[in-house]
Amino acid sequence: MCEGGARKEEAQTRLVTVKSKILGKNDEIAECNRNWLKERGVLAMNLISSPGSGKTMLLERTLEALDGKLKCAVIAGDQRTDNDAKRLEGKGAAVVQIETVSSCHLDASQVHDMLPEVVTEGTKLLFIENVGNLVCPSSFDLGESFKVALLSTTEGEDKPAKYPSLFSRASVVLLTKMDLVEHLDWDLDACLASLRSIRPDASVFQVSARTGQGMESWLDFLLEQSA
Amino acid sequence: MHELSIAQSLVEELDAITIREGALRVNSFRLDIGAISGVEQHALEMALPFAAEGSNAEGATFDINIVVTRVKCKGCGNSWEPETFIGRCRSCDSNDIAIVAGREMVLVSVELET
Ligand SMILES: Nc1nc2c(ncn2[C@@H]2O[C@H](COP(=O)(O)OP(=O)(O)OP(=O)(O)O)[C@@H](O)[C@H]2O)c(=O)[nH]1
Ligand SMILES: [Mg+2]
Ligand SMILES: [Zn+2]
């Protein structure tokens, strides 16, 4: 900044040390959500991926499979439309949509406002489908039990190394659209190596919501985690 | 562009500090931003003046300190600064690695005009 020569007039200044987290308010609300969910014994997952990696389709198949077995709830976030919520309705789970309008991520207060409506008595699993975006949602804690990153086979192998802010935080990773692998030059080992380099202890599931491949292990994992 | 929401949260905090300290306005402030915080320095630099318009931080200058990623092995305590890859521990091969720095988004200090 150009100071323009002359000293500023006698203005008094004072330096204050703050050291506060910029998203401290969001983190506080997230913590409140986390406690609220914990008290009710609800396992909450924050699903994050690029647009179109298959979050909604995975949830469609997951809700259908768990219908009558485990009570589920869904919060779906998109910038516009309630298309995703409509796709998820009628599968035995309570579903609400949050339209974030100009925002590229869900934040803790949006989730906070929806929780009492969508998480009713007896709910065991809450899926939060975040806005399709690999970067922004990773900075905002929603109060989830853990983050689930989805990476579709059409996106290439090296996304984890390119987007460490998400992949270093996601303890569970789903490689989606595995049915397409035969049409691609996608290399599973390279993808896993990229992932391990960022998050060596991630639980990885290889699934196709389209063919049902790998869905069993994902569902077993959910049943086991919610127990 | 979540840098704008981050800038807005920051400006709210700066406003609150100005009021709490009975100051007139914010002259300057310092931030620590982690290398893998998901915040892009340039985007944040663009978003801040925009978010600060009409607030006590309008026209304030700022310094952004990028904090390098540092990890620590939970097995043997070995600590290092990975370039991009975190990977396994180089001394004991454990995969139980904690990220100890690199995710910061911190307002470190504020210079207020009183
Ligand atoms: N071949 C194949 N296509 C899939 C699979 N899962 C999803 N798709 C297709 O990929 C497209 C996007 O899927 P969605 O489930 O809407 O993806 P999304 O991540 O919810 O998208 P956004 O909410 O817009 O970010 C749709 O055309 C799906 O039919 C899969 O396992 N195999
Ligand atoms: Mg969707
Ligand atoms: Zn070690």
Side-chain angles (χ1 to χ4, degrees):
Chain A
M1 275 276 154
C2 172
E3 288 296 336
R7 288 252 175 107
K8 279 190 185 162
E9 304 169 37
E10 298 302 298
Q12 299 255 358
T13 61
R14 183 151 47 94
L15 189 69
V16 184
T17 306
V18 197
K19 296 208 172 133
S20 62
K21 285 189 180 178
I22 298 174
L23 294 178
K25 205 165 276 171
N26 183 78
D27 291 350
E28 270 170 36
I29 302 170
E31 216 38 51
C32 167
N33 293 348
R34 186 168 285 116
N35 289 331
W36 192 92
L37 289 161
K38 204 170 172 190
E39 277 164 23
R40 286 159 183 77
V42 181
L43 185 80
M45 284 157 278
N46 183 358
L47 275 67
I48 305 178
S49 79
S50 314
S53 295
K55 299 179 291 298
T56 309
M57 193 161 171
L58 174 85
L59 289 180
E60 288 179 270
R61 298 293 94 83
T62 304
L63 296 182
E64 284 160 9
L66 295 178
D67 192 9
K69 292 199 187 103
L70 208 58
K71 191 166 171 187
C72 299
V74 182
I75 296 176
D78 274 297
Q79 287 200 329
R80 299 270 178 184
T81 82
D82 59 354
N83 293 351
D84 282 4
K86 284 196 189 117
R87 282 167 59 189
L88 295 168
E89 270 160 15
K91 300 183 191 299
V95 183
V96 292
Q97 179 88 40
I98 298 174
E99 284 187 55
T100 62
V101 191
S102 62
S103 178
C104 48
H105 58 268
L106 288 172
D107 66 38
S109 81
Q110 291 169 319
V111 170
H112 184 266
D113 293 347
M114 288 297 174
L115 282 179
E117 181 186 329
V118 73
V119 177
T120 52
E121 188 75 45
T123 303
K124 291 284 176 209
L125 295 180
L126 170 65
F127 298 99
I128 306 172
E129 179 182 335
N130 220 309
V131 182
N133 186 316
L134 268 181
V135 184
C136 311
S138 69
S139 301
F140 292 80
D141 185 6
L142 304 179
E144 68 272 359
S145 313
F146 52 85
K147 289 179 173 58
V148 178
L150 280 74
L151 176 55
S152 62
T153 51
T154 54
E155 290 170 74
E157 295 90 350
D158 58 350
K159 280 286 177 305
K162 283 179 179 166
Y163 295 91
S165 79
L166 169 61
F167 288 96
S168 72
R169 286 176 164 98
S171 56
V172 176
V173 177
L174 292 171
L175 302 178
T176 62
K177 309 193 189 180
M178 287 303 293
D179 59 290
L180 295 179
V181 169
E182 56 182 307
H183 307 289
L184 305 166
D185 291 324
W186 184 81
D187 181 347
L188 173 66
D189 290 338
C191 188
L192 290 175
S194 178
L195 184 58
R196 298 277 175 238
S197 74
I198 296 300
R199 180 81 197 214
D201 64 339
S203 306
V204 183
F205 297 91
Q206 302 171 34
V207 300
S208 164
R210 187 152 173 265
T211 64
Q213 171 193 346
M215 288 295 287
E216 285 293 306
S217 341
W218 162 242
L219 294 167
D220 284 347
F221 170 78
L222 291 176
L223 289 165
E224 184 192 298
Q225 290 289 311
S226 65
Chain B
M1 263 298 282
H2 70 313
E3 281 78 5
L4 187 55
S5 347
I6 288 165
Q8 281 160 347
S9 301
L10 182 61
V11 168
E12 274 172 35
E13 174 76 7
L14 289 168
D15 260 335
I17 291 169
T18 315
I19 294 164
R20 192 177 69 213
E21 301 287 329
L24 297 173
R25 57 182 290 275
V26 177
N27 261 347
S28 65
F29 55 92
R30 295 194 34 172
L31 305 176
D32 274 354
I33 300 294
I36 54 166
S37 63
V39 177
E40 217 249 295
Q41 179 176 3
H42 183 66
L44 186 59
E45 283 168 356
M46 302 293 285
L48 271 170
F50 185 73
E53 263 175 45
S55 76
N56 290 321
E58 184 167 339
T61 58
F62 52 88
D63 266 329
I64 298 179
N65 170 45
I66 301 294
V67 182
V68 297
T69 310
R70 173 161 277 281
V71 297
K72 187 173 179 180
C73 172
K74 290 192 209 166
C76 73
N78 180 29
S79 177
W80 71 99
E81 289 174 4
E83 286 277 306
T84 41
F85 302 136
I86 293 164
R88 309 176 77 93
C89 177
R90 290 160 200 189
S91 54
C92 77
D93 202 41
S94 163
N95 68 356
D96 199 5
I97 310 294
I99 296 176
V100 292
R103 283 182 177 155
E104 296 76 0
M105 279 194 266
V106 176
L107 173 61
V108 180
S109 62
V110 185
E111 192 193 61
L112 296 165
E113 193 174 310
T114 52

